[in-house]
Amino acid sequence: MNLKEYRQKRDFEGTSEPEGELGATVGSRFVVHKHQARHLHYDFRLEMGGLLKSWAVPKGVPLEPGVRRLAVQVEDHPIEYIDFAGVIPEGQYGAGTVEIWDRGQFELSRQAPGRLEFTLRGEKLSGDYVLIHTDGKNWLLIKRKAGTG
Ligand code: MN
């Protein structure tokens, strides 16, 4: 995991997004950015391994159990990005408005190849979720029913 792809995509003279460093801390925060770019989407980010593992979720993180949402894995982002909100100027990568839609803590309950299970404790989002890798960069993000293993 590193920030190479993140940095290659951006011109830090032109955007106020953080250039970032690999974090040394072990955290367990998450954030959901509402990103009004060319197409509105929500970026779901988990603090893992000193970085933010990130997925673009076109229809947003599900609030109801059983709903499956496509989540496309995107480049790892630096930890500082967890606090980023602002306008990425026209002509820059991801140009548009970024707002923090939700944030909080998560607890990882299972990590296996192609599968992450965790509990979210945010302001809007709470409960058990699973991310399941399907193919390429595509994952499914599903809210689980309470009490299901
Ligand atoms: Mn985005």
Side-chain angles (χ1 to χ4, degrees):
M1 297 196 284
N2 63 65
L3 294 170
K4 200 170 154 195
E5 186 182 352
Y6 173 85
R7 288 184 179 146
Q8 278 170 349
K9 287 183 167 173
R10 290 169 177 81
D11 167 11
F12 295 100
E13 305 286 305
T15 179
S16 58
E17 295 166 288
E19 193 165 347
E21 287 171 28
L22 206 59
T25 55
V26 178
S28 54
R29 293 174 294 169
F30 80 92
V31 68
V32 181
H33 282 118
K34 182 178 180 181
H35 188 179
Q36 181 62 69
R38 201 150 44 91
H39 299 285
L40 173 67
H41 61 275
Y42 294 80
D43 291 303
F44 178 60
R45 310 188 196 281
L46 297 174
E47 187 175 19
M48 294 178 79
L51 290 164
L52 297 176
K53 302 305 287 180
S54 298
W55 290 263
V57 186
K59 293 185 174 174
V61 179
L63 290 158
E64 298 301 325
V67 178
R68 293 160 168 253
R69 290 281 163 81
L70 172 67
V72 180
Q73 189 163 15
V74 298
E75 74 276 17
D76 296 339
H77 279 50
I79 295 289
E80 299 100 293
Y81 211 95
I82 207 160
D83 296 315
F84 178 77
V87 176
I88 301 171
E90 265 321 301
Q92 299 296 324
Y93 181 73
T97 304
V98 177
E99 295 167 46
I100 293 174
W101 182 82
D102 197 20
R103 71 202 322 176
Q105 301 284 322
F106 77 97
E107 187 182 323
L108 196 60
S109 47
R110 182 169 170 229
Q111 185 172 13
R115 190 174 177 98
L116 287 175
E117 297 176 15
F118 49 88
T119 304
L120 298 181
R121 293 185 191 89
E123 289 163 30
K124 292 180 176 136
L125 297 171
S126 68
D128 297 339
Y129 284 80
V130 59
L131 266 167
I132 301 167
H133 184 231
T134 55
D135 60 275
K137 294 185 176 214
N138 295 339
W139 296 63
L140 286 173
L141 177 56
I142 303 164
K143 182 170 184 180
R144 309 173 94 186
K145 290 188 181 77
T148 56

